[in-house]
Amino acid sequence: MINEELILPIPKSTEFPKINGKFFSQDILSLDQFDPISIDLLFNITVHMGEIARNAKVSNYLAGNIATLLFYEPSTRTRGSFDAATKQLGGQTIVVENPQQFSSVAKGETFGDTIKTFEAYCDLIILRHPEVGAAQKAAKAAEFVPIINAGDGIGEHPTQALLDLYTIFEKKHTLSGKKGLIVGDIKNGRTIHSLLRGLSLFKNNTVYLLSPEQLKLQRPLLEDLSQKGLKIFEISQESEIPRDCDFWYWTRVQKERFQDQAEFERLKHSFIATPQLLQKYGNDEMILMHPLPRVGEISEEVDSDPRAVYLRNQIRNGMYIRMALLGLVLGKIPARL
Amino acid sequence: MINEELILPIPKSTEFPKINGKFFSQDILSLDQFDPISIDLLFNITVHMGEIARNAKVSNYLAGNIATLLFYEPSTRTRGSFDAATKQLGGQTIVVENPQQFSSVAKGETFGDTIKTFEAYCDLIILRHPEVGAAQKAAKAAEFVPIINAGDGIGEHPTQALLDLYTIFEKKHTLSGKKGLIVGDIKNGRTIHSLLRGLSLFKNNTVYLLSPEQLKLQRPLLEDLSQKGLKIFEISQESEIPRDCDFWYWTRVQKERFQDQAEFERLKHSFIATPQLLQKYGNDEMILMHPLPRVGEISEEVDSDPRAVYLRNQIRNGMYIRMALLGLVLGKIPARL
Amino acid sequence: MINEELILPIPKSTEFPKINGKFFSQDILSLDQFDPISIDLLFNITVHMGEIARNAKVSNYLAGNIATLLFYEPSTRTRGSFDAATKQLGGQTIVVENPQQFSSVAKGETFGDTIKTFEAYCDLIILRHPEVGAAQKAAKAAEFVPIINAGDGIGEHPTQALLDLYTIFEKKHTLSGKKGLIVGDIKNGRTIHSLLRGLSLFKNNTVYLLSPEQLKLQRPLLEDLSQKGLKIFEISQESEIPRDCDFWYWTRVQKERFQDQAEFERLKHSFIATPQLLQKYGNDEMILMHPLPRVGEISEEVDSDPRAVYLRNQIRNGMYIRMALLGLVLGKIPARL
């Protein structure tokens, strides 16, 4: 017979979610939670995670832990990355895709009740949702387990930004004093906005933004970033690309952001990264990045160029960053190894 | 070279499926298989399961075991609970959702052949199916591995009933001599019928059934339960609720059970649990339960009331009960710890 | 701070994919890669795998390994078998079904980029795809991890052929000097073609092909197999079945191969395996096989006949063969135990 009251897990912290070097039990909702010290700490762990994954080492950091992957919007790439990250560290996952089509959610259950249900089953929820702010909402509803935002609509996708920053860091050994070229739909590109915000956290960075006139960075964000110290130059032709960039960050013009499909067709291939372009405006030390998927804006001939890091390094780094975050947030990896 | 015949696993018992304290290799199809001794034994294990899950302890009770979650009807809540239960104990799952839409089943394979296929891959099948009797049918088809019924249409959903009983037991320390209020669609509510059957196994229990006239308990079931010794009072207004209930069990009026949608709209919110109602007719020692999902019939203001156990305790208890069942049926947890 | 370059995994071999007894890091695309020595080696490991699976022994051969199940065409049977095979050996899986409906692939990503993405997450990709040649294409795109073909349209499905051969081997202890009856849609049956190719690798085998006139083996394949030494006799009525077969291999006439549905209806049940037929033309030592699913062409009355191996042995053997392949290709099981 039971003579004790039910003991629930320890409720998580509800303080303002700046990380400040303390990841344990923390919701990871936005890149804005990160400061240079937290990023440095995360990146140090990430190096170690890469070693585990590359060598198929048996790791038990997350033994006994279960993460729920709650994806209201399927994303094989991001889901696969988080799923693998958890399992690389010996953890387990519960995968739930499109809950809105089924059962409880379809029957009219509130989002809060769904979150409260799944938090009972696991130690951490990784949420993908089409609506901006959904991750914040989930973090409020979850009483015990942390939420990691795996993309909320056109809002945030902090692990994507972190993997991009890590890829620059990995090749350039620092995130200060860098010069970069960013190309594509700079108006709507979520990954671009996050990367710019990330770069603005460090000193003395400069970016050149190359886009069609219609897809330039929106003024309020440009002004905000400039105030934070990021030097921004807008250019409109390839001939204006400076030769001494540390990185090029190419992106896809996203069909789904256009109401006028004719305009999309006109703009989608405004700029294409080719061996010739790299030859003409690149340098030997730079790297060429892309958040993927690509649909023609980087020529496949470039793939074998050692400076092309989008297929090999960025994808892998995404998994390593997620491994590091999971280990830190679940308190299973000490902040200093 | 092979010189021996294939050795198949030991066929499972085909004796009449009363549990009688022996869970090993037993199909779990219906609440009717349980007697007070089996329930007591199960609940003792369940307490221990809660400790494992709450502390993210590494448990290897089910190391080497694989459960197939064969869900002909998606149910994120129940699937997540069984999936997590298996993994909490170190087991693995094969998740198959909507097999009828794909491949072999779509090509015309019989249900029996599908069951025989999946039993070859695993140690246990957890089945959800829209048709009454599907779990029985599966239990007959499976020669070697036990079936756990995770809901067969408007038929049985024994683990739901067990978690409800466990929640009362956990708070009240016994299942005899209890007085409860049950509210909602008492005619069609599967979870209500199971709870009533469960309560009828124990001595000296009393229930008050509050529902609209159209949704009253059907006479044959009422008579059967009364004969078993359960005292049943039907009431039609909140003012008739006795103040000294041990539990209130609130339920949703289920849209899918109504042919006349206007009638559903008229009845769906006949009774709503609010702080005011609890204040007026409740007491300090009672608990407020709901099988979930809810769609408005319990006000969210009630959630923070310590007597509200639907979000925290019931969901968790569902996972703990399933952990205990899996461990017992697979013979990996001794009946007495 | 990181001072080293990213170390990527060791690129896999790109030599011509004959196995020659060396499975490690090898793509498994076609039955044509196998020679008798490789098959013998694989089957020896398979015997051992059966022992692990049947006894729910805890096995850690694949500890630390992750396999991606990338299924562009759902197949609960094959997916379940590979999923279970990986987990039986202590490995983990990432399951991706229908990626073409979602996210990156739906946005226009190339097949090569998708493969390069998932290979970053895991140690091995198991691919099911509706297009012939997809597995070859994937094997070229994947730089680091091996691909196992789990069926590419009407092309190859090598593990199905291997499990069929293993089932004969298991019961008959050799794959030479055998006599078999093969029944059904011999023109279009992928599993039949693979079985015939497998039998042609060994000496002194004879097959009788029983089919309606419209579904006879195509001449080029018949000639090729005959040249390799397989003795083939085409028959058109049950009365021509020789009494001394070692195995009967029954198959379904596949609706999806017919443009004229009336013709399908006319032919689908041309030949049905019944107890009477077994009595009349069978013998005590033979086995009755079927690749499944069946839809009426084997009477359920035959299931309890000890010679019927389609439900028990073949399904299980499929999992054992896949376990053996996974262990060998990932280098976790030595070629000689």
Side-chain angles (χ1 to χ4, degrees), chain B residues 1-2 5-8 63 92-95 102-104 107-109 113 116-117 120-121 143-144, chain C residues 40 47 54 74 76-77 79 84 87-88 92 166 169-171 173 252 294-295 311-313 315 319:
Chain B
M1 292 294 155
I2 306 169
E5 288 300 299
L6 172 85
I7 305 147
L8 287 165
Q92 291 285 1
T93 61
I94 307 294
V95 178
F102 308 123
S103 70
S104 304
K107 286 172 192 158
E109 184 176 72
D113 278 9
K116 282 180 208 308
T117 297
Y121 301 157
E143 286 181 88
F144 304 103
Chain C
D40 183 55
V47 177
R54 277 193 300 277
T76 50
R77 176 180 298 277
R79 201 264 291 167
K87 288 167 180 167
Q88 291 278 4
Q92 291 285 2
Y166 180 75
F169 175 80
E170 178 186 49
K171 292 291 183 185
H173 310 146
R252 176 171 67 97
R294 60 173 166 174
V295 285
L311 281 176
R312 291 188 210 124
N313 309 57
I315 298 172
M319 183 170 71

Side-chain angles (χ1 to χ4, degrees), chain A residues 1-9 63-66 87 92-99 102-105 107-110 112-114 116-123 143-145 332, chain B residues 40 43-44 47 51 54 56-58 74-81 83-84 87-88 91-92 98 166 169-171 173 252 256 292-295 300 303 311-313 315-317 319-320:
Chain A
M1 292 291 155
I2 305 170
N3 277 314
E4 31 173 358
E5 286 302 299
L6 173 85
I7 305 146
L8 286 164
N65 284 126
I66 298 176
K87 288 168 180 167
Q92 291 285 3
T93 61
I94 307 295
V95 178
V96 180
E97 293 183 312
N98 290 320
F102 307 123
S103 69
S104 304
V105 180
K107 286 173 193 158
E109 184 177 73
T110 64
D113 278 9
T114 303
K116 282 182 209 305
T117 297
F118 281 96
E119 78 162 326
Y121 300 157
C122 66
D123 306 302
E143 286 181 88
F144 303 105
V145 309
K332 293 296 185 73
Chain B
D40 182 56
F43 287 3
N44 271 293
V47 177
E51 287 161 15
R54 277 193 300 277
K57 267 189 202 165
V58 181
S75 160
T76 50
R77 175 181 299 278
T78 303
R79 201 264 291 167
S81 183
D83 205 346
K87 288 166 179 168
Q88 291 279 2
Q92 291 285 1
N98 290 320
Y166 180 74
F169 175 81
E170 178 186 51
K171 293 291 185 188
H173 309 144
R252 173 170 70 94
E256 55 270 37
L292 301 180
R294 60 171 168 177
V295 285
E300 292 202 4
D303 294 359
L311 281 177
R312 291 189 211 123
N313 310 56
I315 298 172
R316 281 182 165 70
N317 289 346
M319 183 170 70
Y320 305 160

